[in-house]
Amino acid sequence: MEEILSQVKAYSEEITSFTATDADSLEQFRIRFLGVKGIVKAMMGEMKNVPVDQKKEFGQTMNGFKQLAEEKFTTEKERIDLMGGGSSEQIDFTLPGTPMPTGSRHPVTLMRNRIVEIFQRLSFTVAEGPEIEDDWHNFTALNLDENHPARDMQDTFYLSTDPAILLRTHTSNVQIREMEKQQLPIRIICPGRVYRNETISARSHCFFHQVEGLYIDENVSFADLKQTLYFFVREMFGEDVKVRFRPSYFPFTEPSAEMDISCQLCKGDGCAVCKRTGWLEILGCGMVHPNVLKNCGIDPEKYTGFAFGMGVERPALLKYGITDIRLFSENDVRFLEQFSGV
Ligand code: PHE
């Protein structure tokens, strides 16, 4: 008995000090101690030679011995697995890792966020709605009934199985949806993707992005509209930007206007981008037409409001000096990754 215990002690020391260098040496360890013909089995087999009154103590010692060998095997196996199955080559865990490419924001997203953020400072909140829309929310409720000629300017894509369903041509559909909730006042900004049946070229695409805005309350006037938009362009393009409003026509606003800013490239002198005029058109706007308010169940005698809408791609082209709108949707990371720091 003494002799066996001292052997067990020696083996225990061997186990404790064992470190596997690779999967092979670990396997040898396993066979030597835990195998069918291994030391742990052999030592346990000595039980039959132990006097009856010592069997219990011997059994406990042997269980501890077995556990020691098993635990050593498990921890060494984990370590060797971590080393990649373990050639004898050691891995230095303190070395810096392989960097993961992190991506960057899309230039259209960057521009949209800049626009939205400026209006948020004026307490506008973001509202969103569906890109696949019905005729009512995209056209009819906006005072563009079925045969209205202005529909031609916003020709879009229809479902052949149900022509009443279309891809929205502007985010004004979100304005209608918000007005229909009739929780006044409304002060929202509607960013999103829109579609038009247009020939794809360097300057136009069949889909693009817009940010539209809507403010409805009692006593909202054209002066509020001008001041809001003036604040916006100064925040966006700088203190020295000039603006001008030109009378225009939209079926859903009356009066309507288009707003130009002084060309940021030539500072108003005239260049190729502003077609020698010194001005760039950036948005359409106007006072919400009473028919639109009525269509949404809002009393036009009590409430008035203004609306505006602008594209996102055009100002992004200007800001980042990009010459072809198609680059935005070609998904070439070499192009896309250039703008996050700009
Ligand atoms: N919905 C118009 C367009 O897409 C823009 C606009 C919005 C004009 C609101 C006036 C008022 O062209």
Side-chain angles (χ1 to χ4, degrees):
M1 168 79 178
E2 287 295 297
E3 202 188 316
I4 303 169
L5 287 180
S6 76
Q7 267 180 15
V8 169
K9 196 162 169 256
Y11 285 136
S12 298
E13 276 162 19
E14 191 188 323
I15 292 171
T16 313
S17 61
F18 172 74
T19 325
T21 47
D22 53 25
D24 275 353
S25 68
L26 181 65
E27 179 60 4
Q28 274 158 26
F29 173 89
R30 191 191 64 77
I31 294 168
R32 177 164 156 78
F33 287 98
L34 299 164
V36 202
K37 292 182 181 155
I39 291 169
V40 171
K41 270 252 161 70
M43 291 283 120
M44 288 194 148
E46 294 294 329
M47 182 67 104
K48 59 182 183 299
N49 303 323
V50 173
V52 179
D53 60 339
Q54 290 174 25
K55 274 197 197 295
K56 188 174 168 202
E57 192 196 332
F58 181 79
Q60 278 167 356
T61 311
M62 289 316 295
N63 281 340
F65 179 57
K66 185 177 173 203
Q67 211 179 340
L68 183 72
E70 283 172 349
E71 275 169 12
K72 185 62 159 191
F73 175 75
T74 317
T75 49
E76 285 301 286
K77 181 161 176 9
E78 275 169 14
R79 199 173 57 79
I80 292 289
D81 284 350
L82 257 182
M83 281 169 51
S87 62
S88 51
E89 182 193 344
Q90 294 282 326
I91 288 184
D92 182 351
F93 291 105
T94 63
L95 282 174
T98 317
M100 295 267 282
T102 48
S104 52
R105 287 212 199 286
H106 194 286
V108 168
T109 307
L110 290 170
M111 182 50 76
R112 185 201 60 197
N113 290 353
R114 281 173 56 112
I115 299 171
V116 166
E117 187 258 330
I118 294 170
F119 284 104
Q120 278 174 333
R121 275 189 267 147
L122 291 172
S123 302
F124 281 77
T125 53
V126 172
E128 285 175 314
E131 287 177 30
I132 303 170
E133 190 51 285
D134 53 43
D135 186 277
W136 169 257
H137 290 97
N138 193 82
F139 289 128
T140 308
L142 284 151
N143 211 20
L144 270 146
D145 58 29
E146 210 183 327
N147 298 314
H148 200 295
R151 279 199 183 200
D152 270 359
M153 293 184 322
Q154 298 196 4
D155 186 22
T156 184
F157 304 96
Y158 292 85
L159 279 195
S160 51
T161 47
D162 184 354
I165 307 288
L166 49 93
L167 295 182
R168 68 177 177 192
T169 57
H170 44 193
T171 59
S172 309
N173 67 325
V174 184
Q175 307 191 2
I176 297 296
R177 286 176 178 277
E178 291 296 315
M179 283 192 272
E180 283 175 340
K181 293 182 191 161
Q182 298 184 13
Q183 285 160 350
L184 296 149
I186 296 172
R187 199 186 288 149
I188 51 165
I189 190 103
C190 316
R193 181 182 291 199
V194 301
Y195 303 81
R196 293 198 193 168
N197 185 8
E198 276 181 29
T199 315
I200 300 169
S201 72
R203 286 188 56 77
S204 62
H205 211 302
C206 60
F207 65 86
F208 58 98
H209 297 76
Q210 276 192 333
V211 177
E212 292 207 348
L214 175 71
Y215 178 32
I216 296 186
D217 201 350
E218 290 177 41
N219 302 318
V220 177
S221 73
F222 202 86
D224 297 317
L225 164 65
K226 284 180 90 170
Q227 192 54 39
T228 304
L229 294 178
Y230 189 46
F231 174 83
F232 165 70
V233 290
R234 281 178 27 142
E235 292 296 303
M236 186 67 153
F237 299 103
E239 297 279 310
D240 57 353
V241 69
K242 292 193 194 60
V243 298
R244 76 175 183 190
F245 287 81
R246 279 179 295 109
S248 185
Y249 173 77
F250 299 102
F252 30 88
T253 46
E254 184 61 38
S256 305
E258 241 149 300
M259 191 175 89
D260 299 341
I261 56 166
S262 49
C263 178
Q264 293 304 288
L265 296 170
C266 62
K267 299 285 168 213
D269 292 344
C271 67
V273 173
C274 60
K275 297 194 190 107
R276 319 256 159 239
T277 62
W279 294 98
L280 292 167
E281 178 194 320
I282 63 158
L283 57 81
C285 57
M287 302 305 291
V288 179
H289 197 291
N291 287 353
V292 175
L293 295 174
K294 272 189 237 154
N295 285 340
C296 301
I298 296 172
D299 179 1
E301 297 300 326
K302 187 164 178 216
Y303 290 99
T304 49
F306 67 72
F308 55 88
M310 69 187 97
V312 179
E313 275 82 351
R314 290 273 163 83
L317 291 176
L318 278 180
K319 165 124 183 83
Y320 301 122
I322 300 165
T323 50
D324 193 326
I325 203 169
R326 291 169 289 197
L327 287 164
F328 287 136
S329 52
E330 278 173 2
N331 264 346
D332 185 338
V333 269
R334 291 169 303 177
F335 167 75
L336 295 173
E337 71 191 1
Q338 295 175 49
F339 306 99
S340 50
V342 187

